[in-house]
Amino acid sequence: PIDSTFEENREKVDTHRGHDVWGPVEEPEQLGIHGTHVAVDFDVCLADGACLEDCPVDVFEWVDTPDHPESEIKADPANEAQCIDCMLCVDVCPVDAIDVDAG
Ligand code: SF4
Ligand code: F3S
Ligand code: ZN
C-alpha cells in the first residue's frame, strides 16, 4: 500500500500536469507518488481502473508507463484540485495505492 506519511518521508522531485511527484524516481521501473491531496503510488498501482470509474468528479486520467513492472498505465490524479473528499477511490482500490488527505 501507499505510505500515507510520504510528505514527511519522501522528497518532491518533479511536477507532472500541475501536481507534485514524490521520489525516488528511477524510470522506467520506479515512478514514485503522483499528487499530494490525492496521491497515487505509481509503484503500487496495477491499473485496476476502479478509481477512474468511481470518482464522481473525474480526478483521474490514465497515463502511459511503459516497462513498469506492475502495469503499463497508471491512474494519474490529473485533476486533484476537483476532489470532494468522498474517499471512494481509497475504498475501491484493490491494492491501496491511493491516499486522500481529507484533513
Ligand atoms: Fe475522486 Fe472521491 Fe477520490 Fe476525491 S476522494 S479523488 S472525489 S473518488
Ligand atoms: Fe490503480 Fe488502484 Fe486506480 S490499482 S487504477 S489506483 S483503483
Ligand atoms: Zn502525474
Side-chain angles (χ1 to χ4, degrees):
I2 187 170
D3 173 8
S4 60
T5 63
F6 69 91
E7 286 178 78
E8 286 99 71
N9 297 337
R10 292 178 178 232
E11 303 282 330
K12 276 183 208 176
V13 295
D14 204 354
T15 58
H16 179 238
R17 293 167 148 185
H19 53 256
D20 298 320
V21 179
W22 302 80
V25 172
E26 194 75 52
E27 290 178 10
E29 56 280 320
Q30 196 172 22
L31 298 174
I33 291 175
H34 280 232
T36 301
H37 181 74
V38 180
V40 180
D41 192 326
F42 274 23
D43 297 309
V44 175
C45 173
L46 38 66
D48 177 84
C51 58
L52 274 94
E53 281 170 33
D54 288 0
C55 177
V57 292
D58 295 332
V59 163
F60 304 99
E61 294 177 11
W62 291 120
V63 293
D64 292 326
T65 57
D67 298 324
H68 188 270
E70 292 296 338
S71 59
E72 303 219 324
I73 53 173
K74 305 291 176 183
D76 195 35
N79 308 305
E80 73 172 349
Q82 294 176 15
C83 176
I84 56 170
D85 298 344
C86 73
M87 305 310 269
L88 220 52
C89 58
V90 173
D91 291 341
V92 296
C93 178
V95 288
D96 292 331
I98 307 173
D99 181 69
V100 174
D101 181 10

